[in-house]
Amino acid sequence: MKSVRMPVPGISLGCDYNPEQWSPDVWREDAALMRRAGVDLVAVNIFGWSNLEPSPGEYRFDDLDEVIELLHAHGIKINLGTGTSSPPPWLSSRHPETLPVAADGTTRFPGGRQAWCPSSPVFRERALDLVGRVADRYGSHPALALWHVSNELGCHNALCYCETSADAFRTWLRSRYRKIETLNEAWGTSFWSQRYSDWSDIQPPRLALSLRNPAQLIDFQRFSSDELLGYYRAEAALLRARSDVPVTTNFMVTAHIRNLDYWSWAPEMDVIANDHYLDHRLGDPVAELSFAADLTRGLAGGRPWMLMEQAAGAVNWQPHNVTKVPGEMIRNSLTHVARGADSVCFFQWRASAQGAEKFHSAMLPHAGTDTVAWREVLKLSETLDRIGEVAGTEVEADVALLFSWESWWSAEGEARPSQAVTYLDQVHSAHAALRDLGVTTDVVAPDADLSRYRLVVVPGLYMVSDTDAQAIADYVSAGGRLVVTYFSGIVDERDRIRLGGYPGAFRDVLGVLAEEFAPLLPGAEVALSNGAIGTLWTERLRTTTASVIATYENGPMAGIPAITRNQHGDGTAWYVATKTDMSDVLREATGVMSDKSDTEVVRRRAGDRSYLFVINHGTEPVEHPARGHDLVTGESVDGVLTVQGGGVAVVREEIR
Ligand code: GLA
């Protein structure tokens, strides 16, 4: 990313607004209420296509004109959707070939949203036609602050297996491999008689009778991410040709959507924007929020970013949709800000009365303004105003965690040592353990420059390139500290096993060698000599140059190393070969002895300005050393900051 272009100064408050669902008298009430709530930035026209082009070639902009003028008159900036996220019914009827096809070869029909094939030339032509018209009409409007390309690209339609996609996949493969023999080698097609002699024989990895070729699956993931990025680029190019306003799209850095490699997308954004929802299917949804915010900041190259969507209360798409208790939404919002967000936006402004999302919370609930939810929104707005001077500062972190979408795709292949071992579980556990120690972590790509970090954590990095593995080893040789967890360094980018013992790419730097994996059955435990327990995974490990920190006390690997430490050049590298409590290793590796599990402590800085965020997720008051001025309460802090249970503090620190 070149330089970040935030749409609105300060820490902005924003929302998605779907005026198509309401009458003009409601629009006027909404604009007045938005102003009362201090809303600065409103996303419109996200699902606007069937209203703007109700039948082919018939365009109606009157309603959108009126809404934009109304918001403008209320001093609100526009985050303008290009309107292409869901095609109108006429497009799917006239061009059924634009519909996506699932892995089993069956079509996904309209009636929901995003029913389009990312490779469809017909869809692209019609969508770009609309984008051009929207850009011509509003590109120089004074209220326009941001272009919002489509919506959550790839949320539902990332992987399409239709014939058009098959052709596009073949084109992508030809440009990646040039020669069919190179593809055969990369995909290991000698196995199960899969050798290709002609590009035209290659198919997308549709469902098969048995396990599919894992390298083909990974390339299909790569292709699918690139294909949608190509689509984003096409929309963005049109917008940039007609307008100077920054362009972005909303990412889904979340636990349940994984189809886009956002490391390759990020450089194309003028500002990084993420949608985040607490996921109550996870063990610790709030810890995941912190992780997602740190990863979003990683995508933003450490610079400020936007929280483009979050929920005021419950969502409607989880099996059990838990609402937020008073204070929780404000804590969630402040966690995002603490970790680099300069904009806090919601899906959506007014709760829908109809449609599939009528049970999704909103800033303005069905019950109106005499509600806890509305009062929470007002309180958040006031808080964001008070801390506005934080905008533009950057998060202080000297520990990095490596994250890779490619590794996620490949580690969770159809046939693997244990279905119970998942990439995100490893990543979340490592991040949460650091967070519990009060350590702020940058989440970065495997090829990031690591030199400024005092510790690099590599959870379950199954797939890693030679270059990245070498850079990680060089970082340690030069004095860095590294913690690697099990099922790392196993394959290269072709999903080919690194022979000679696990964890292949990291054997030397860790000074260990494993002969075989020995996953544990779910629910089984082994005792470790350091008093902890191990679950899910063990391996027949021996040290080559490392020393042993803990061994297994029982089970088939009794006496075998479970945690090791290796001196490598001027640095130190730890290996954790089982799922276990990592706090002792991380304490040793970071030198941090405290335990802050219920309290988040993060610092943002720029030049001589420094802001300390303390977010108390517990119910009891906590104390933290600080000196300065708490922007939230307006009180001065003279040595010890007390944050009430459930409270937040943002201290402008005195720097001596
Ligand atoms: C996504 C979408 C929104 C809405 C929310 C609901 O983030 O972008 O349109 O569907 O989910 O949580």
Side-chain angles (χ1 to χ4, degrees), residues 224-363:
S224 300
S225 176
D226 287 356
E227 197 70 352
L228 271 172
L229 177 56
Y231 177 80
Y232 169 84
R233 279 195 191 113
E235 280 208 20
L238 272 183
L239 299 171
R240 291 197 171 107
R242 289 165 165 80
S243 153
D244 292 330
V245 168
V247 181
T248 193
T249 190
N250 42 348
F251 287 179
M252 299 162 287
V253 172
T254 137
H256 64 285
I257 295 181
R258 59 165 214 179
N259 286 326
L260 306 176
D261 180 357
Y262 286 131
W263 293 126
S264 62
W265 285 57
E268 313 269 342
M269 309 292 138
D270 292 324
V271 54
I272 296 293
N274 191 44
D275 295 351
H276 188 272
Y277 293 92
L278 281 186
D279 192 335
H280 289 277
R281 294 165 294 191
L282 300 171
D284 190 346
V286 173
E288 189 277 335
L289 184 157
S290 304
F291 165 75
D294 286 347
L295 174 50
T296 307
R297 183 177 71 257
L299 291 162
R303 281 158 292 196
W305 50 275
M306 299 179 68
L307 176 65
M308 191 70 104
E309 292 182 20
Q310 68 167 343
V315 299
N316 66 323
W317 43 263
Q318 291 172 22
H320 312 289
N321 296 296
V322 178
T323 191
K324 295 183 181 177
V325 297
E328 188 176 356
M329 180 275 282
I330 294 173
R331 285 194 299 282
N332 291 169
S333 302
L334 267 278
T335 297
H336 286 293
V337 175
R339 293 174 188 274
D342 272 6
S343 180
V344 176
C345 307
F346 288 80
F347 175 85
Q348 60 178 331
W349 165 254
R350 181 184 277 273
S352 298
Q354 290 181 292
E357 294 185 320
K358 62 183 180 298
F359 294 122
H360 196 291
S361 65
M363 296 165 86

Side-chain angles (χ1 to χ4, degrees), residues 406-651:
E406 288 207 336
S407 211
W408 188 358
W409 299 333
S410 49
E412 297 187 8
E414 291 179 336
R416 56 192 210 254
S418 170
Q419 298 283 343
V421 171
T422 68
Y423 180 56
L424 277 197
D425 176 50
Q426 290 221 55
V427 167
H428 288 164
S429 303
H431 185 271
L434 287 161
R435 178 177 174 271
D436 286 351
L437 292 179
V439 172
T440 306
T441 305
D442 279 350
V443 181
V444 300
D447 64 356
D449 175 6
L450 304 176
S451 53
R452 70 179 193 80
Y453 294 108
R454 73 188 158 111
L455 170 67
V456 173
V457 179
V458 179
L461 192 68
Y462 165 82
M463 175 179 276
V464 64
S465 69
D466 290 350
T467 318
D468 295 346
Q470 187 58 51
I472 293 166
D474 291 347
Y475 156 79
V476 179
S477 303
R481 300 178 143 223
L482 175 73
V483 174
V484 177
T485 73
Y486 57 98
F487 210 38
S488 286
I490 308 301
V491 298
D492 66 14
E493 306 99 303
R494 299 167 300 172
D495 201 38
R496 185 183 159 84
I497 297 283
R498 294 176 174 283
L499 303 175
Y502 318 120
F506 300 121
R507 267 193 323 255
D508 287 348
V509 69
L510 296 172
V512 295
L513 186 152
E515 300 169 31
E516 65 173 322
F517 303 136
L520 301 175
L521 291 173
E525 290 181 3
V526 282
L528 266 56
S529 59
N530 63 357
I533 56 158
T535 58
L536 291 188
W537 191 265
T538 64
E539 47 195 39
R540 191 176 299 284
L541 187 75
R542 63 174 182 265
T543 55
T544 49
T545 55
S547 50
V548 177
I549 294 185
T551 54
Y552 301 106
E553 296 266 275
N554 53 17
M557 295 298 141
I560 283 183
I563 304 176
T564 60
R565 183 200 307 109
N566 190 42
Q567 196 63 39
H568 183 80
D570 292 337
T572 311
W574 288 258
Y575 184 49
V576 182
T578 181
K579 180 172 168 63
T580 189
D581 179 359
M582 287 171 62
S583 49
D584 283 348
V585 167
L586 292 174
R587 278 200 183 92
E588 192 186 331
T590 55
V592 173
M593 291 302 149
S594 59
D595 186 344
K596 300 222 161 30
S597 32
D598 258 354
T599 313
E600 265 184 283
V601 180
V602 182
R603 191 171 265 115
R604 287 184 64 164
R605 280 185 180 221
D608 60 359
R609 292 186 298 141
S610 177
Y611 299 93
L612 177 75
F613 286 71
V614 181
I615 301 164
N616 183 355
H617 295 287
T619 49
E620 298 301 316
V622 291
E623 292 189 339
H624 191 81
R627 202 170 286 281
H629 183 81
D630 182 354
L631 300 176
V632 178
T633 59
E635 285 168 13
S636 66
V637 182
D638 204 11
V640 179
L641 169 73
T642 304
V643 185
Q644 297 307 319
V648 296
V650 182
V651 178

Side-chain angles (χ1 to χ4, degrees), residues 99-158:
L99 292 173
V101 170
D104 65 358
T106 58
T107 300
R108 289 297 174 263
F109 294 103
R113 66 176 179 185
Q114 221 176 49
W116 53 278
C117 158
S119 301
S120 166
V122 176
F123 176 84
R124 189 181 280 215
E125 188 193 318
R126 297 306 310 214
L128 293 185
D129 182 73
L130 181 72
V131 175
R133 287 168 198 270
V134 171
D136 284 340
R137 194 167 188 96
Y138 304 109
S140 46
H141 194 285
L144 183 66
L146 186 65
W147 285 112
H148 183 302
V149 169
S150 191
N151 188 58
E152 292 193 338
L153 283 161
C155 178
H156 311 282
N157 66 345

